[in-house]
Amino acid sequence: MTPREPRVPGRACALAFLAMCTPLLAADFQAGVARARITPPTPFWMSGYAARTHPSEGVEQELWAKALALRDPGGHQVVLVTTDLIGLPRAISDEVAARVAARFHVERAQLVLSASHTHCGPAVRKNLAVLYDFSEEEKRRVDAYGSELVDRLVEVVGRALEDLAPARLSVGHGAVGFAVNRREPTPEGVKIGVNPNGPVDHDVPVLKVTGKDGSLRAVLFGYACHNTTLGGDFYRIGGDYAGYAQAALEKAHPGATALFVMLCGGDQNPNPRGTLDLAVQHGGALAAEVARVLSATIRPVRPPIRTALETVSLDFAPHTRAVFEEEAKSPDVFRQRRSRLMLAAYDEGKPVRQTPYPVQAIRLGRDLTFLALAGEPVVDYALRLKRELAGENLIVAGYCHDVMCYIPSRRVLLEGGYEAVDNTIYYGQPGPFTETVEDAIMAAVRRATGAVGLKARAASGTGGRP
Ligand SMILES: [Zn+2]
Protein backbone atom coordinates (compact mmCIF):
# COMPACT_ATOMS: atom_id res chain seq x y z
CA MET A 1 0.00 0.00 0.00
CA THR A 2 1.94 2.98 -1.23
CA PRO A 3 -0.44 5.79 -2.16
CA ARG A 4 1.78 8.19 -4.00
CA GLU A 5 1.12 11.42 -5.74
CA PRO A 6 1.97 11.51 -9.44
CA ARG A 7 5.39 12.96 -10.17
CA VAL A 8 5.50 16.63 -11.08
CA PRO A 9 4.02 16.96 -14.57
CA GLY A 10 5.82 18.65 -17.46
CA ARG A 11 4.16 22.04 -17.13
CA ALA A 12 5.28 22.43 -13.55
CA CYS A 13 8.84 21.43 -14.44
CA ALA A 14 8.90 24.14 -17.10
CA LEU A 15 7.63 26.65 -14.55
CA ALA A 16 10.16 25.48 -12.01
CA PHE A 17 12.93 25.95 -14.57
CA LEU A 18 11.60 29.42 -15.36
CA ALA A 19 11.47 30.14 -11.65
CA MET A 20 15.15 29.24 -11.24
CA CYS A 21 16.04 31.67 -14.04
CA THR A 22 13.95 34.61 -12.87
CA PRO A 23 14.47 35.56 -9.24
CA LEU A 24 11.40 37.81 -9.20
CA LEU A 25 9.09 34.94 -10.07
CA ALA A 26 11.15 32.61 -7.89
CA ALA A 27 9.41 33.54 -4.66
CA ASP A 28 5.95 33.50 -6.15
CA PHE A 29 4.08 31.07 -4.00
CA GLN A 30 0.53 31.67 -3.00
CA ALA A 31 0.04 31.30 0.76
CA GLY A 32 -3.05 31.33 2.91
CA VAL A 33 -3.51 31.08 6.67
CA ALA A 34 -6.46 30.41 8.97
CA ARG A 35 -7.12 29.48 12.57
CA ALA A 36 -9.95 27.92 14.55
CA ARG A 37 -10.35 27.78 18.30
CA ILE A 38 -10.48 24.19 19.57
CA THR A 39 -10.55 24.75 23.34
CA PRO A 40 -12.85 22.10 24.82
CA PRO A 41 -15.85 22.96 26.99
CA THR A 42 -14.65 22.89 30.58
CA PRO A 43 -14.61 20.84 32.76
CA PHE A 44 -13.24 18.25 30.35
CA TRP A 45 -10.99 15.22 30.78
CA MET A 46 -7.40 16.13 29.91
CA SER A 47 -4.88 13.88 28.17
CA GLY A 48 -1.25 12.92 28.58
CA TYR A 49 -0.88 11.82 32.18
CA ALA A 50 -2.31 8.59 33.56
CA ALA A 51 -2.12 10.07 37.07
CA ARG A 52 -4.89 12.65 36.60
CA THR A 53 -7.97 11.80 38.62
CA HIS A 54 -10.55 14.37 37.50
CA PRO A 55 -11.42 16.70 34.59
CA SER A 56 -10.00 20.17 33.91
CA GLU A 57 -10.58 23.08 36.28
CA GLY A 58 -10.53 25.93 33.79
CA VAL A 59 -8.65 27.34 30.84
CA GLU A 60 -5.12 28.73 31.18
CA GLN A 61 -4.75 29.30 27.46
CA GLU A 62 -6.99 28.87 24.41
CA LEU A 63 -6.13 25.97 22.09
CA TRP A 64 -5.92 26.44 18.32
CA ALA A 65 -5.93 24.57 15.06
CA LYS A 66 -4.02 26.57 12.45
CA ALA A 67 -3.54 25.96 8.75
CA LEU A 68 -0.93 27.19 6.29
CA ALA A 69 -1.83 26.55 2.64
CA LEU A 70 0.84 26.86 -0.03
CA ARG A 71 0.38 26.70 -3.80
CA ASP A 72 3.08 26.96 -6.47
CA PRO A 73 2.75 28.52 -9.94
CA GLY A 74 2.07 25.06 -11.39
CA GLY A 75 -0.94 24.61 -9.10
CA HIS A 76 0.70 22.06 -6.77
CA GLN A 77 -0.31 22.62 -3.21
CA VAL A 78 0.14 21.53 0.37
CA VAL A 79 -1.78 22.40 3.53
CA LEU A 80 0.00 22.11 6.88
CA VAL A 81 -2.31 21.95 9.89
CA THR A 82 -1.02 22.30 13.44
CA THR A 83 -3.06 21.70 16.59
CA ASP A 84 -2.57 22.31 20.32
CA LEU A 85 -3.53 18.72 21.13
CA ILE A 86 -1.98 15.57 22.58
CA GLY A 87 -2.21 13.73 19.24
CA LEU A 88 -4.60 13.03 16.40
CA PRO A 89 -5.63 9.39 16.06
CA ARG A 90 -5.97 7.81 12.63
CA ALA A 91 -9.78 7.76 12.80
CA ILE A 92 -9.90 11.55 13.07
CA SER A 93 -7.14 12.20 10.49
CA ASP A 94 -8.77 9.83 7.99
CA GLU A 95 -12.12 11.53 8.35
CA VAL A 96 -10.63 15.01 7.98
CA ALA A 97 -8.54 13.94 4.97
CA ALA A 98 -11.52 12.34 3.22
CA ARG A 99 -13.68 15.43 3.68
CA VAL A 100 -10.84 17.77 2.66
CA ALA A 101 -10.23 15.71 -0.50
CA ALA A 102 -13.92 15.73 -1.41
CA ARG A 103 -14.52 19.42 -0.73
CA PHE A 104 -11.23 21.07 -1.63
CA HIS A 105 -9.45 18.56 -3.91
CA VAL A 106 -6.46 18.43 -1.58
CA GLU A 107 -5.07 14.88 -1.69
CA ARG A 108 -3.89 12.99 1.35
CA ALA A 109 -0.23 13.43 0.35
CA GLN A 110 -0.83 17.21 0.26
CA LEU A 111 -2.26 17.44 3.76
CA VAL A 112 -0.23 17.42 6.99
CA LEU A 113 -2.19 16.99 10.23
CA SER A 114 0.04 17.49 13.25
CA ALA A 115 -0.26 17.83 17.02
CA SER A 116 1.90 19.72 19.53
CA HIS A 117 1.56 16.92 22.12
CA THR A 118 0.51 19.34 24.85
CA HIS A 119 -0.26 17.40 28.02
CA CYS A 120 -2.74 20.10 29.05
CA GLY A 121 -5.17 19.53 26.21
CA PRO A 122 -8.40 17.54 26.04
CA ALA A 123 -8.83 13.80 25.66
CA VAL A 124 -9.11 13.16 21.92
CA ARG A 125 -11.43 10.32 20.92
CA LYS A 126 -9.61 6.93 20.67
CA ASN A 127 -6.13 8.41 21.38
CA LEU A 128 -4.71 6.95 24.63
CA ALA A 129 -8.15 5.49 25.40
CA VAL A 130 -6.64 3.18 28.05
CA LEU A 131 -6.09 6.23 30.29
CA TYR A 132 -9.82 6.56 30.89
CA ASP A 133 -12.82 4.75 32.24
CA PHE A 134 -15.49 7.17 31.05
CA SER A 135 -19.09 7.25 32.20
CA GLU A 136 -21.67 7.25 29.39
CA GLU A 137 -22.02 11.02 29.73
CA GLU A 138 -18.25 11.59 29.65
CA LYS A 139 -17.97 9.34 26.62
CA ARG A 140 -20.71 11.34 24.89
CA ARG A 141 -18.87 14.60 25.59
CA VAL A 142 -15.53 13.27 24.31
CA ASP A 143 -17.25 11.92 21.17
CA ALA A 144 -18.97 15.26 20.62
CA TYR A 145 -15.67 17.11 20.98
CA GLY A 146 -14.06 14.72 18.47
CA SER A 147 -16.84 15.34 15.94
CA GLU A 148 -16.58 19.09 16.45
CA LEU A 149 -12.79 18.86 16.05
CA VAL A 150 -13.18 17.14 12.66
CA ASP A 151 -15.51 19.95 11.53
CA ARG A 152 -13.09 22.64 12.74
CA LEU A 153 -10.09 21.00 11.01
CA VAL A 154 -11.92 20.70 7.69
CA GLU A 155 -13.12 24.29 8.01
CA VAL A 156 -9.66 25.67 8.82
CA VAL A 157 -8.19 23.99 5.72
CA GLY A 158 -10.94 25.52 3.57
CA ARG A 159 -10.40 29.00 4.99
CA ALA A 160 -6.62 28.80 4.49
CA LEU A 161 -7.21 27.90 0.82
CA GLU A 162 -9.64 30.82 0.46
CA ASP A 163 -6.94 33.08 1.90
CA LEU A 164 -4.34 32.22 -0.79
CA ALA A 165 -2.48 35.32 -1.92
CA PRO A 166 1.01 36.00 -3.35
CA ALA A 167 3.71 35.29 -0.81
CA ARG A 168 7.42 34.77 -0.39
CA LEU A 169 8.94 31.96 1.61
CA SER A 170 12.29 31.66 3.32
CA VAL A 171 13.82 29.23 5.76
CA GLY A 172 16.38 29.46 8.52
CA HIS A 173 17.49 27.65 11.66
CA GLY A 174 18.19 28.58 15.24
CA ALA A 175 18.74 26.59 18.43
CA VAL A 176 17.49 26.60 22.02
CA GLY A 177 18.74 24.34 24.76
CA PHE A 178 15.89 23.55 27.14
CA ALA A 179 15.18 20.07 25.71
CA VAL A 180 17.01 17.27 27.50
CA ASN A 181 17.11 13.54 26.86
CA ARG A 182 14.82 11.97 29.46
CA ARG A 183 15.96 8.34 29.21
CA GLU A 184 17.97 8.06 32.40
CA PRO A 185 19.94 4.83 32.85
CA THR A 186 19.54 3.30 36.32
CA PRO A 187 20.53 -0.07 37.82
CA GLU A 188 16.89 -1.14 37.29
CA GLY A 189 16.89 -0.12 33.64
CA VAL A 190 16.05 3.04 31.72
CA LYS A 191 13.68 5.36 33.63
CA ILE A 192 12.06 8.65 32.68
CA GLY A 193 14.32 11.27 34.26
CA VAL A 194 17.15 13.45 33.03
CA ASN A 195 20.03 12.12 30.96
CA PRO A 196 22.44 14.96 30.14
CA ASN A 197 24.57 12.50 28.12
CA GLY A 198 21.74 11.28 25.90
CA PRO A 199 21.17 12.50 22.33
CA VAL A 200 19.24 15.74 21.76
CA ASP A 201 18.34 17.88 18.76
CA HIS A 202 18.22 21.57 19.69
CA ASP A 203 17.51 22.72 16.11
CA VAL A 204 14.74 25.32 15.69
CA PRO A 205 13.70 25.33 12.02
CA VAL A 206 11.81 28.45 10.94
CA LEU A 207 9.71 28.85 7.77
CA LYS A 208 8.90 32.51 7.16
CA VAL A 209 5.94 33.51 5.00
CA THR A 210 5.70 37.15 3.97
CA GLY A 211 3.18 39.01 1.84
CA LYS A 212 3.98 41.05 -1.25
CA ASP A 213 4.55 44.09 0.97
CA GLY A 214 7.09 42.20 3.06
CA SER A 215 4.89 41.92 6.13
CA LEU A 216 4.98 38.68 8.09
CA ARG A 217 1.88 36.58 7.38
CA ALA A 218 2.90 33.32 9.00
CA VAL A 219 5.80 31.64 10.72
CA LEU A 220 6.01 27.88 11.06
CA PHE A 221 8.61 26.66 13.54
CA GLY A 222 9.47 23.46 15.34
CA TYR A 223 11.27 21.94 18.29
CA ALA A 224 11.98 18.37 19.38
CA CYS A 225 10.72 18.39 22.95
CA HIS A 226 7.67 17.09 24.80
CA ASN A 227 5.12 19.72 25.78
CA THR A 228 5.35 18.49 29.35
CA THR A 229 6.70 21.43 31.32
CA LEU A 230 3.48 21.14 33.32
CA GLY A 231 2.84 17.89 35.15
CA GLY A 232 -0.15 15.70 35.87
CA ASP A 233 -1.02 17.88 38.89
CA PHE A 234 -1.90 20.79 36.57
CA TYR A 235 -5.61 20.88 35.73
CA ARG A 236 -6.00 23.90 33.46
CA ILE A 237 -6.30 23.63 29.67
CA GLY A 238 -3.34 25.08 27.76
CA GLY A 239 -0.63 24.60 25.16
CA ASP A 240 2.42 24.34 27.47
CA TYR A 241 5.66 25.91 26.16
CA ALA A 242 4.55 25.68 22.50
CA GLY A 243 1.35 27.56 23.33
CA TYR A 244 3.35 30.35 24.97
CA ALA A 245 5.87 30.48 22.11
CA GLN A 246 3.09 30.84 19.52
CA ALA A 247 1.28 33.47 21.59
CA ALA A 248 4.48 35.50 22.10
CA LEU A 249 5.25 35.51 18.36
CA GLU A 250 1.69 36.51 17.45
CA LYS A 251 1.79 39.31 20.01
CA ALA A 252 5.07 40.60 18.58
CA HIS A 253 3.74 40.36 14.98
CA PRO A 254 0.08 41.44 15.00
CA GLY A 255 -1.85 39.84 12.16
CA ALA A 256 0.66 37.02 11.68
CA THR A 257 -0.08 33.38 12.47
CA ALA A 258 2.51 31.34 14.38
CA LEU A 259 2.32 27.57 13.87
CA PHE A 260 4.24 25.15 16.11
CA VAL A 261 5.31 21.78 14.76
CA MET A 262 6.44 19.08 17.18
CA LEU A 263 9.60 17.39 15.91
CA CYS A 264 11.14 14.02 16.92
CA GLY A 265 10.92 14.65 20.67
CA GLY A 266 9.61 11.27 21.83
CA ASP A 267 12.46 10.93 24.35
CA GLN A 268 12.95 14.65 25.07
CA ASN A 269 11.57 16.65 27.99
CA PRO A 270 11.84 20.32 28.92
CA ASN A 271 14.41 20.91 31.64
CA PRO A 272 13.68 22.17 34.22
CA ARG A 273 9.97 21.46 34.36
CA GLY A 274 7.03 21.46 36.75
CA THR A 275 5.63 25.01 36.94
CA LEU A 276 3.60 27.41 34.83
CA ASP A 277 6.41 29.98 35.08
CA LEU A 278 8.79 27.49 33.47
CA ALA A 279 6.32 26.79 30.62
CA VAL A 280 6.11 30.54 29.96
CA GLN A 281 9.90 30.84 30.24
CA HIS A 282 10.62 27.99 27.78
CA GLY A 283 7.99 29.36 25.38
CA GLY A 284 9.59 32.78 25.61
CA ALA A 285 13.06 31.38 24.92
CA LEU A 286 11.77 29.52 21.86
CA ALA A 287 9.86 32.58 20.58
CA ALA A 288 12.92 34.81 21.05
CA GLU A 289 15.04 32.42 19.00
CA VAL A 290 12.39 32.23 16.24
CA ALA A 291 12.25 36.06 16.23
CA ARG A 292 16.05 36.24 15.93
CA VAL A 293 15.97 33.89 12.90
CA LEU A 294 13.07 35.87 11.36
CA SER A 295 15.08 39.07 11.52
CA ALA A 296 18.21 37.49 10.02
CA THR A 297 18.82 37.09 6.30
CA ILE A 298 17.50 33.65 5.61
CA ARG A 299 17.47 31.39 2.56
CA PRO A 300 14.74 32.00 -0.02
CA VAL A 301 12.51 29.01 -0.78
CA ARG A 302 11.40 28.47 -4.37
CA PRO A 303 8.78 26.35 -6.09
CA PRO A 304 7.80 23.75 -7.08
CA ILE A 305 5.94 21.91 -4.32
CA ARG A 306 6.33 18.15 -4.47
CA THR A 307 4.59 15.77 -2.07
CA ALA A 308 4.61 12.03 -1.41
CA LEU A 309 3.02 9.76 1.18
CA GLU A 310 4.10 6.21 1.96
CA THR A 311 2.42 3.88 4.41
CA VAL A 312 4.26 0.87 5.86
CA SER A 313 3.14 -1.78 8.32
CA LEU A 314 5.19 -1.93 11.51
CA ASP A 315 5.28 -5.35 13.19
CA PHE A 316 4.68 -5.83 16.89
CA ALA A 317 6.68 -8.54 18.66
CA PRO A 318 4.82 -11.88 18.60
CA HIS A 319 2.28 -12.46 21.39
CA THR A 320 -0.28 -15.05 22.38
CA ARG A 321 -3.72 -14.84 23.90
CA ALA A 322 -2.30 -16.34 27.11
CA VAL A 323 -0.12 -13.24 27.61
CA PHE A 324 -3.21 -11.03 27.91
CA GLU A 325 -5.24 -13.56 29.91
CA GLU A 326 -2.43 -13.32 32.45
CA GLU A 327 -2.24 -9.53 32.21
CA ALA A 328 -5.99 -9.29 32.86
CA LYS A 329 -5.25 -10.45 36.45
CA SER A 330 -2.81 -7.57 37.02
CA PRO A 331 -3.62 -5.15 39.87
CA ASP A 332 -2.71 -2.31 37.46
CA VAL A 333 -5.94 -0.86 36.05
CA PHE A 334 -4.19 0.27 32.84
CA ARG A 335 -2.84 -3.23 32.18
CA GLN A 336 -6.34 -4.61 32.83
CA ARG A 337 -7.82 -2.24 30.23
CA ARG A 338 -5.09 -2.97 27.66
CA SER A 339 -5.57 -6.71 28.16
CA ARG A 340 -9.33 -6.34 27.60
CA LEU A 341 -8.70 -4.55 24.29
CA MET A 342 -6.27 -7.23 23.18
CA LEU A 343 -8.53 -10.11 24.25
CA ALA A 344 -11.45 -8.52 22.38
CA ALA A 345 -9.26 -8.38 19.27
CA TYR A 346 -8.39 -12.08 19.74
CA ASP A 347 -12.11 -12.84 20.18
CA GLU A 348 -12.82 -11.18 16.84
CA GLY A 349 -10.11 -13.30 15.24
CA LYS A 350 -8.05 -10.16 14.57
CA PRO A 351 -5.22 -10.04 17.13
CA VAL A 352 -3.22 -6.82 16.77
CA ARG A 353 -0.01 -7.81 14.96
CA GLN A 354 0.87 -4.62 13.10
CA THR A 355 0.10 -0.94 12.84
CA PRO A 356 0.02 1.12 9.65
CA TYR A 357 2.62 3.89 9.70
CA PRO A 358 2.43 6.88 7.33
CA VAL A 359 5.55 8.75 6.22
CA GLN A 360 5.16 11.96 4.22
CA ALA A 361 7.69 14.08 2.32
CA ILE A 362 7.08 17.63 1.14
CA ARG A 363 9.81 19.31 -0.87
CA LEU A 364 9.84 22.97 -1.79
CA GLY A 365 12.16 23.50 -4.74
CA ARG A 366 15.63 22.37 -3.69
CA ASP A 367 15.44 24.55 -0.63
CA LEU A 368 13.49 22.65 2.01
CA THR A 369 12.20 19.16 2.71
CA PHE A 370 9.59 18.68 5.41
CA LEU A 371 9.29 15.09 6.58
CA ALA A 372 6.13 14.27 8.53
CA LEU A 373 6.46 11.09 10.60
CA ALA A 374 3.66 9.53 12.63
CA GLY A 375 3.62 8.48 16.28
CA GLU A 376 6.09 9.72 18.86
CA PRO A 377 9.48 9.24 17.18
CA VAL A 378 12.56 9.44 19.37
CA VAL A 379 15.27 11.96 18.48
CA ASP A 380 17.48 9.29 16.85
CA TYR A 381 15.30 9.46 13.73
CA ALA A 382 15.90 13.18 13.17
CA LEU A 383 19.62 12.86 13.87
CA ARG A 384 19.98 9.92 11.48
CA LEU A 385 17.97 11.61 8.73
CA LYS A 386 20.03 14.79 9.05
CA ARG A 387 23.18 12.69 8.60
CA GLU A 388 21.86 10.70 5.67
CA LEU A 389 20.31 13.69 3.92
CA ALA A 390 23.18 16.05 4.76
CA GLY A 391 23.13 19.05 2.46
CA GLU A 392 19.34 19.17 2.32
CA ASN A 393 17.50 21.72 4.45
CA LEU A 394 15.40 19.39 6.61
CA ILE A 395 12.51 19.66 9.04
CA VAL A 396 11.72 16.26 10.54
CA ALA A 397 8.36 16.37 12.31
CA GLY A 398 6.77 13.66 14.41
CA TYR A 399 3.21 13.47 15.78
CA CYS A 400 1.63 13.71 12.32
CA HIS A 401 -1.34 11.82 10.85
CA ASP A 402 -1.70 9.26 13.64
CA VAL A 403 -0.17 9.13 17.10
CA MET A 404 -0.56 5.40 17.73
CA CYS A 405 2.35 4.96 20.21
CA TYR A 406 6.03 5.84 20.66
CA ILE A 407 8.40 5.05 17.80
CA PRO A 408 11.70 3.82 19.24
CA SER A 409 14.85 3.53 17.17
CA ARG A 410 16.50 0.13 17.21
CA ARG A 411 18.90 1.44 19.87
CA VAL A 412 16.07 2.60 22.14
CA LEU A 413 14.10 -0.60 21.53
CA LEU A 414 17.06 -2.73 22.63
CA GLU A 415 17.70 -0.53 25.69
CA GLY A 416 14.06 -0.87 26.79
CA GLY A 417 12.15 1.52 29.04
CA TYR A 418 9.01 3.59 28.57
CA GLU A 419 9.56 4.67 24.94
CA ALA A 420 10.33 1.06 23.95
CA VAL A 421 7.79 -0.98 25.90
CA ASP A 422 5.65 0.52 28.66
CA ASN A 423 4.00 3.25 26.57
CA THR A 424 2.17 0.54 24.60
CA ILE A 425 0.00 -0.17 27.67
CA TYR A 426 -1.46 3.35 27.63
CA TYR A 427 -1.72 3.44 23.84
CA GLY A 428 -3.64 0.14 23.83
CA GLN A 429 -1.05 -1.61 21.68
CA PRO A 430 0.03 -5.22 22.29
CA GLY A 431 3.67 -4.52 23.20
CA PRO A 432 6.98 -3.47 21.70
CA PHE A 433 7.78 -3.43 17.99
CA THR A 434 10.16 -5.95 16.48
CA GLU A 435 13.77 -4.94 15.86
CA THR A 436 12.89 -4.16 12.24
CA VAL A 437 10.98 -1.00 13.19
CA GLU A 438 13.73 1.48 12.33
CA ASP A 439 14.67 -0.25 9.05
CA ALA A 440 11.02 -0.34 7.95
CA ILE A 441 10.55 3.37 8.65
CA MET A 442 13.83 4.36 7.00
CA ALA A 443 12.91 2.37 3.87
CA ALA A 444 9.58 4.23 3.73
CA VAL A 445 11.35 7.56 4.20
CA ARG A 446 13.70 6.72 1.31
CA ARG A 447 10.75 5.92 -0.94
CA ALA A 448 8.97 9.15 0.03
CA THR A 449 12.07 11.34 -0.33
CA GLY A 450 12.94 9.62 -3.61
CA ALA A 451 9.47 10.44 -4.92
CA VAL A 452 10.09 14.15 -4.24
CA GLY A 453 13.50 14.07 -5.91
CA LEU A 454 15.72 13.73 -2.85
CA LYS A 455 18.23 10.90 -2.49
CA ALA A 456 19.91 9.72 0.69
CA ARG A 457 23.71 9.69 0.55
CA ALA A 458 24.43 6.56 2.52
CA ALA A 459 22.62 4.24 4.87
CA SER A 460 23.68 4.36 8.51
CA GLY A 461 22.14 3.25 11.76
CA THR A 462 21.12 5.48 14.64
CA GLY A 463 24.22 4.34 16.50
CA GLY A 464 24.63 2.00 19.43
CA ARG A 465 24.24 -1.14 17.35
CA PRO A 466 25.97 -4.25 18.66
ZN1 LIG B 1 4.67 11.58 24.66
Side-chain angles (χ1 to χ4, degrees):
M1 294 238 309
T2 55
R4 181 182 292 180
E5 214 189 345
R7 298 295 290 269
V8 179
R11 181 167 159 267
C13 288
L15 281 164
F17 178 72
L18 194 64
M20 279 186 272
C21 302
T22 52
L24 205 65
L25 183 65
D28 273 352
F29 283 99
Q30 302 266 319
V33 284
R35 65 165 64 220
R37 200 172 66 92
I38 54 168
T39 314
T42 197
F44 201 90
W45 277 95
M46 298 164 77
S47 191
Y49 294 111
R52 285 205 182 98
T53 55
H54 58 270
S56 61
E57 294 169 345
V59 176
E60 189 63 38
Q61 200 177 31
E62 301 284 357
L63 305 184
W64 299 95
K66 298 171 183 173
L68 170 63
L70 300 174
R71 187 176 287 165
D72 71 15
H76 302 100
Q77 58 191 1
V78 65
V79 184
L80 299 120
V81 178
T82 62
T83 58
D84 299 317
L85 292 172
I86 188 79
L88 292 167
R90 187 166 76 239
I92 285 184
S93 292
D94 281 354
E95 195 178 341
V96 171
R99 284 172 57 182
V100 162
R103 278 181 64 182
F104 309 120
H105 309 293
V106 172
E107 295 169 29
R108 188 66 192 259
Q110 300 172 317
L111 178 67
V112 181
L113 295 167
S114 80
S116 73
H117 204 47
T118 174
H119 282 46
C120 294
V124 179
R125 189 169 65 195
K126 295 271 168 70
N127 178 271
L128 288 164
V130 168
L131 293 189
Y132 310 102
D133 186 17
F134 291 137
S135 67
E136 282 305 310
E137 172 58 15
E138 287 164 343
K139 189 171 172 304
R140 191 197 61 73
R141 279 165 58 85
V142 171
D143 281 347
Y145 177 79
S147 301
E148 179 88 357
L149 179 64
V150 170
D151 291 346
R152 291 288 84 76
L153 295 177
V154 174
E155 173 202 312
V156 83
V157 170
R159 284 197 284 111
L161 290 166
E162 280 171 18
D163 188 53
L164 284 169
R168 283 161 198 259
L169 269 57
S170 50
V171 65
H173 294 264
V176 287
F178 65 80
V180 70
N181 193 294
R182 71 184 200 183
R183 289 175 51 77
E184 185 176 320
T186 75
E188 294 80 43
V190 176
K191 299 274 164 61
I192 292 185
V194 172
N195 177 5
N197 300 314
V200 296
D201 180 8
H202 286 160
D203 182 26
V204 178
V206 176
L207 179 66
K208 179 180 181 180
V209 182
T210 53
K212 277 267 181 189
D213 62 355
S215 63
L216 185 71
R217 293 185 57 204
V219 54
L220 181 137
F221 64 103
Y223 195 49
C225 182
H226 260 64
N227 266 288
T228 48
T229 318
L230 293 157
D233 56 346
F234 192 80
Y235 279 90
R236 291 172 67 78
I237 296 287
D240 207 280
Y241 77 80
Y244 291 105
Q246 293 173 95
L249 286 162
E250 289 173 352
K251 190 175 175 199
H253 298 275
T257 303
L259 303 93
F260 173 82
V261 177
M262 176 65 180
L263 308 181
C264 296
D267 52 349
Q268 309 289 308
N269 261 352
N271 185 44
R273 54 191 289 251
T275 68
L276 187 58
D277 282 350
L278 284 168
V280 175
Q281 181 185 311
H282 294 325
L286 181 54
E289 181 63 357
V290 172
R292 189 190 64 76
V293 175
L294 283 174
S295 63
T297 304
I298 54 179
R299 172 180 175 162
V301 175
R302 291 153 295 192
I305 297 170
R306 286 176 285 188
T307 57
L309 181 68
E310 293 279 336
T311 302
V312 284
S313 274
L314 301 181
D315 294 331
F316 291 111
H319 52 79
T320 62
R321 188 187 172 95
V323 170
F324 299 108
E325 284 170 347
E326 193 57 35
E327 186 174 68
K329 300 173 199 160
S330 164
D332 180 334
V333 67
F334 303 111
R335 284 188 179 275
Q336 290 169 22
R337 289 178 198 153
R338 189 263 293 269
S339 69
R340 283 202 292 271
L341 284 176
M342 293 300 114
L343 290 172
Y346 267 101
D347 289 345
E348 285 175 31
K350 296 176 188 167
V352 181
R353 302 285 183 202
Q354 296 175 315
T355 183
Y357 188 80
V359 170
Q360 185 180 29
I362 293 149
R363 196 167 188 223
L364 306 181
R366 293 169 183 272
D367 303 307
L368 176 64
T369 296
F370 184 100
L371 292 173
L373 306 182
E376 301 199 42
V378 296
V379 76
D380 290 351
Y381 283 95
L383 298 176
R384 178 173 175 178
L385 283 161
K386 285 175 184 183
R387 277 201 311 276
E388 292 194 9
L389 298 168
E392 180 71 8
N393 207 332
L394 270 191
I395 300 177
V396 189
Y399 303 80
C400 292
H401 302 297
D402 181 13
V403 182
M404 72 296 278
C405 59
Y406 280 72
I407 308 298
S409 60
R410 186 167 182 273
R411 175 185 72 84
V412 167
L413 187 78
L414 295 177
E415 286 176 3
Y418 184 77
E419 294 84 359
V421 183
D422 296 344
N423 81 89
T424 63
I425 300 165
Y426 308 99
Y427 271 109
Q429 301 288 12
F433 289 113
T434 65
E435 288 182 27
T436 60
V437 59
E438 181 178 331
D439 288 345
I441 290 171
M442 289 304 295
V445 169
R446 278 189 211 104
R447 288 195 296 276
T449 52
V452 298
L454 180 60
K455 296 276 181 278
R457 292 189 168 182
S460 70
T462 51
R465 285 174 184 239

